[in-house]
Structures are given as structure tokens and as C-alpha cells.
Amino acid sequence: MAHTVLHIDSSARQSGSTSRVLTAQVVERLNAETVIRRDLSTPLPLLDEAWIGANFIPADQRSDEQKATLALSDSLIDELKEADTVVIGVPIYNFTIPTTLKAWIDLVARVGVTFQYTETGPEGLLKGKRAILAVASGGTEAGSDIDYASRYLRHMLGFIGITDIEIVAADQQAIDAEGSVQKAKDAIAQLAA
């Protein structure tokens, strides 16, 4: 069976980035037939009034300009839909995710496309996918009360239907860099392909 991975890096650093090293190792471990690469070090546009206006017009009523405004968002969502597994590099900046990753989330979380509202509340539409978060931090312990990055991503991915989420963490590197990275590498070695 064909397996497609969406590989997302969000670190501002091109070299010396622990999260980039970890995502590369995770993707290698998964041995996917197809890898879609999305590097967020070149920032995505932020939502603006034109984008929001276009988003709330029914798809069959959008002007060419409105379709063009949503084209990048549509492309990012297509990448998500195509993927069986999403691997996201998550450096923790000031206890949360990088702004570039937040911009990606804003562009892919679209009512009627990746989630919908029902009588019982919101329902994610991207079910049956797996996500692996490669978390790196200097001082924040992954999963702790001050780790707003992992909790937020678990919530947002679940909101769009991706609930099978695993975390590989090289956290608290300022305390024990070598041990932290080795712990993450050991976790990667245990991931199911």
C-alpha cells in the first residue's frame, strides 16, 4: 500500500536545528513511498480581510480574485489530504509554536473543508491520519504545564480530525543537550513505520 508523508519544518534555523534533524530522522524511519516537503522558514502570509472574506463566500460563488486569494490555502490543504502521516518539526519558542507554524494552521483550519460544525459540536474532516511531532526545546519540558506548543498542536490537529498523534521530544536541551537528543533518537527508533 502506498504511503505518503507530509514533512513540515518550522524552525527559523536552517543549520543547527534539532527539530529539523529529528524530522529528517522520523521521515527516514517511516520509509514512505512519497514525501511532500513543506519548509515554513519562508513565512506564509497571515490571514487578512481579503482572505477571510473569500473564505466565507461559498466555493461556487467565488470570483477569480477570491479563488486566487485562497489558492495557497487550498494547496496546503491538498497536501494534508494527500498525506497518510504528517511529520511536524516543532521548536518551542517562548513556550509555544513558531509564528510560521501558526500561520500554516490558520491557512489549513477551514470550516467546511477540514472541519465542520454539527449539532454535537465541531467535527474534524481529516480522519484516519497519523501525526508525529518532533519537539525541541531549550528549557521547556515536553508535556509540562508550560508546554503550550504540544498541547495546542494536539488540540488543533484533533480539531481537524487527526487524533493519532505521537511526540518525539528533545526537550530541556539547555540542561542536558546530549541526553535529550539521544532520548529523542531512541524514541524515533521505536516508531512504527
Side-chain angles (χ1 to χ4, degrees):
M1 181 168 81
H3 187 250
T4 299
V5 169
L6 173 57
H7 176 180
I8 300 171
D9 278 317
S10 64
S11 176
R13 297 170 68 183
Q14 291 296 317
S15 62
S17 166
T18 301
S19 65
R20 285 180 184 276
V21 169
L22 296 178
T23 59
Q25 291 175 350
V26 169
V27 170
E28 182 179 337
R29 169 78 180 154
L30 296 177
N31 196 29
E33 289 184 18
T34 304
V35 177
I36 303 166
R37 187 80 170 87
R38 178 60 64 178
D39 190 337
L40 302 178
S41 64
T42 300
L44 297 170
L46 301 178
L47 301 187
D48 60 16
E49 187 173 8
W51 189 94
I52 292 171
N55 187 46
F56 286 103
I57 299 291
D60 61 348
Q61 297 175 27
R62 290 183 188 131
S63 68
D64 288 343
E65 183 179 348
Q66 290 167 327
K67 290 174 187 173
T69 298
L70 296 176
L72 175 59
S73 173
D74 291 338
S75 177
L76 297 172
I77 291 168
D78 287 344
E79 291 174 355
L80 261 177
K81 287 180 176 179
E82 189 176 337
D84 302 295
T85 302
V86 182
V87 177
I88 304 175
V90 188
I92 296 180
Y93 295 167
N94 299 315
F95 309 103
T96 191
I97 63 173
T99 56
T100 55
L101 187 52
K102 174 62 166 74
W104 178 83
I105 289 167
D106 287 343
L107 291 168
V108 301
R110 285 178 49 198
V111 68
V113 182
T114 57
F115 71 93
Q116 66 185 357
Y117 291 109
T118 69
E119 293 175 357
T120 57
E123 174 189 10
L125 300 175
L126 300 179
K127 296 181 173 119
K129 298 179 183 297
R130 173 187 187 195
I132 302 169
L133 308 179
V135 176
S137 76
T140 303
E141 180 183 358
S144 70
D145 288 345
I146 61 171
D147 172 11
Y148 300 104
S150 299
R151 289 194 326 223
Y152 175 71
L153 286 173
R154 278 188 185 279
H155 175 79
M156 284 308 303
L157 291 169
F159 186 76
I160 62 174
I162 303 171
T163 57
D164 179 2
I165 301 169
E166 298 167 82
I167 294 178
V168 171
D171 55 350
Q172 296 185 304
Q173 291 179 68
I175 298 166
D176 178 11
E178 190 175 310
S180 177
V181 171
Q182 188 58 53
K183 176 184 72 168
K185 288 180 179 182
D186 292 345
I188 290 168
Q190 300 301 314
L191 288 172

